Amino acid sequence: DANSNVDEILGTAKTHFSNAKKPFAILIKRDTFDGYKLANKQADIGTLSREEAIETILSSIGDKDIVISTTGMPSREVFESRARAKAGHHRDFLTVGSMGHASAIAAGIALQKPDRNVFVVDGDGATIMHLGNLPINGMLTKNGKPLLPNLKHIVVNNGAHDSVGGQPTVGAAKLGWITNVASAVGYQAVRS
């Protein structure tokens, strides 16, 4: 609480770390700290909000298409959108706790389900987190033919890590750079 001696608590933690070599938890009550608003959160960089973009994507895909969504807000919004539409969740894989892995998961599913379109709803922060997935997805070929023509990788670039506090990403620094990278590493069709 506000009357706690922070220096004493941190001293106890330091002593514990040194002596016990084990974790130490400090529990802090809600509303202990003043609120903080990020001063440099990216302003609106597009015409659609992330929620509107996800709603548009989900309403535009086919009944047999599979959706893989990235961790955090996009997966929550896919879930909520499907619930509002009473559409069920049987075609969705909501990637929870695996930031940046949605496109790799989707690539595996697309390889196993070549007769179905697999849509990845990714964020700019998650895409940046595992940028190495892009060349794997783009350059995966057999006898010169792409193996993932059914993979549709959609990156919703809102310039922020909204799921973890709204910190800005480098995705907003220069719009279009993610599509330039995707094109350079073998994605067959790239739109911005």
Side-chain angles (χ1 to χ4, degrees), residues 4 66 110 116 130 143 161 170 176 185 187:
S4 294
I66 300 167
R116 295 176 70 184
H130 287 286
N143 300 324
H161 289 288
V170 297
V185 298
Y187 274 60

Side-chain angles (χ1 to χ4, degrees), residues 43-164:
D44 182 21
I45 61 171
T47 57
L48 292 176
S49 69
R50 182 190 55 248
E51 296 88 349
E52 292 168 328
I54 290 171
E55 287 282 346
T56 301
I57 294 163
L58 295 178
S59 67
S60 301
I61 64 175
D63 290 339
K64 291 188 176 188
D65 294 338
I66 300 167
V67 175
I68 313 302
S69 57
T70 193
T71 194
M73 298 297 230
S75 280
R76 287 184 207 116
E77 289 158 2
V78 167
F79 181 88
E80 291 166 359
S81 177
R82 295 284 202 209
R84 277 192 302 277
K86 296 182 178 31
H89 307 284
H90 58 282
R91 303 179 291 141
D92 304 332
F93 185 94
L94 310 176
T95 309
V96 178
S98 300
M99 186 175 183
H101 294 287
S103 68
I105 293 166
I109 294 170
L111 285 169
Q112 293 300 310
K113 304 279 185 185
D115 57 325
R116 295 176 70 184
N117 286 321
V118 179
F119 286 83
V120 184
V121 179
D122 221 342
D124 56 311
T127 301
I128 294 164
M129 179 71 72
H130 287 286
L131 205 52
N133 291 339
L134 296 182
I136 293 169
N137 295 344
M139 295 183 183
L140 195 58
T141 61
K142 184 174 183 178
N143 300 324
K145 295 178 93 177
L147 288 177
L148 298 172
N150 57 328
L151 178 66
K152 317 303 182 195
H153 191 171
I154 301 168
V155 178
V156 179
N157 184 354
N158 66 346
H161 289 288
D162 270 346
S163 299
V164 293

